[in-house]
Amino acid sequence: YLIRLEYFCPTITVGPDQTTCAGGSGANLSATGGGTYSWTPATGLSCTNCANPLASPPSTTAYTVVVTDVNGCSATGNVTVNITPAPVVSFTASPACDGAAVNFTDNSTGNNVLWTWNFGDGSLNSNAQNPSHTFPGPGTYTVQLDVAGGGCQASGSMDIVVSPNPVASFTTGNVCFGTTADFTDASTIANPASIVTWDWDFGDGTAHSSAQS
């Protein structure tokens, strides 16, 4: 009698390519179909001889896994871990005055597709990339921006000082034709804000003055 033993190579299943963030939690790789596993290269892997290593490479890396069954037959699979640069949050805001809308401009880097603005005043968050917001009154508000995209997320914040509006007032004495009129600024503004510019329009077509009085 002739007995011939035939062993078939194992059927390997490898998870799909993955995208993760630089410096993030990494990507969970998976392979099935054998008894032993050998992953290469070892760069960024939590283990090289397990079925499900955690991959945290410093840059995009293509991994190969060799799966071997109990009969010594092996099969090979491949998976790529794509690394997305971590975003850096940055934004600017227009001058903030009581009762006026503040315009925010997102300058963050990264492949961001989601923005979440918390204006620090108890109002609803905004998911616009460049929102406008009116604060409830004078004061300092900590505005936080969270961005996310490409498997990455980051946060940043900025203190926005909403200034009270000044109350314009001035005095002048009786003026005779041909004499110079003296104007005294009596405008006020709540502390700790201060008035720093003045613009006098005398209503007679002459040039404006930027003097306080």
Side-chain angles (χ1 to χ4, degrees):
Y1 296 94
L2 177 63
I3 299 176
R4 185 174 68 179
L5 299 178
E6 292 184 356
Y7 298 107
F8 295 94
C9 291
T11 300
I12 183 173
T13 301
V14 180
D17 292 348
Q18 298 194 44
T19 298
T20 188
C21 186
S25 58
N28 290 305
L29 306 184
S30 64
T32 60
T36 62
Y37 302 85
S38 178
W39 294 85
T40 55
T43 304
L45 293 181
S46 60
C47 58
T48 59
N49 59 355
C50 58
N52 303 296
L54 177 67
S56 302
S59 58
T60 296
T61 302
Y63 291 100
T64 298
V65 58
V66 177
V67 177
T68 304
D69 64 14
V70 294
N71 299 311
C73 294
S74 61
T76 301
N78 300 284
V79 62
T80 298
V81 176
N82 299 290
I83 300 299
T84 300
V88 176
V89 174
S90 174
F91 62 91
T92 58
S94 63
C97 294
D98 185 22
V102 179
N103 299 315
F104 293 90
T105 301
D106 170 48
N107 299 312
S108 304
T109 61
N111 300 319
N112 304 315
V113 296
L114 177 64
W115 298 263
T116 303
W117 296 84
N118 183 327
F119 299 107
D121 59 2
S123 61
L124 295 177
N125 292 348
S126 172
N127 296 121
Q129 182 177 3
N130 300 301
S132 295
H133 182 72
T134 302
F135 292 91
T140 300
Y141 302 88
T142 300
V143 177
Q144 178 173 311
L145 170 60
D146 301 329
V147 300
C152 302
Q153 60 182 12
S155 299
S157 63
M158 175 191 298
D159 284 343
I160 301 297
V161 178
V162 179
S163 300
N165 292 312
V167 177
S169 178
F170 63 90
T171 61
T172 185
N174 294 326
V175 181
C176 296
F177 178 73
T179 62
T180 300
D182 293 322
F183 296 91
T184 302
D185 172 44
S187 303
T188 60
I189 192 170
N191 289 328
S194 60
I195 300 173
V196 295
T197 61
W198 295 262
D199 181 22
W200 295 87
D201 181 351
F202 301 108
D204 59 359
T206 58
H208 289 208
S209 172
S210 60
Q212 180 176 2
S213 298

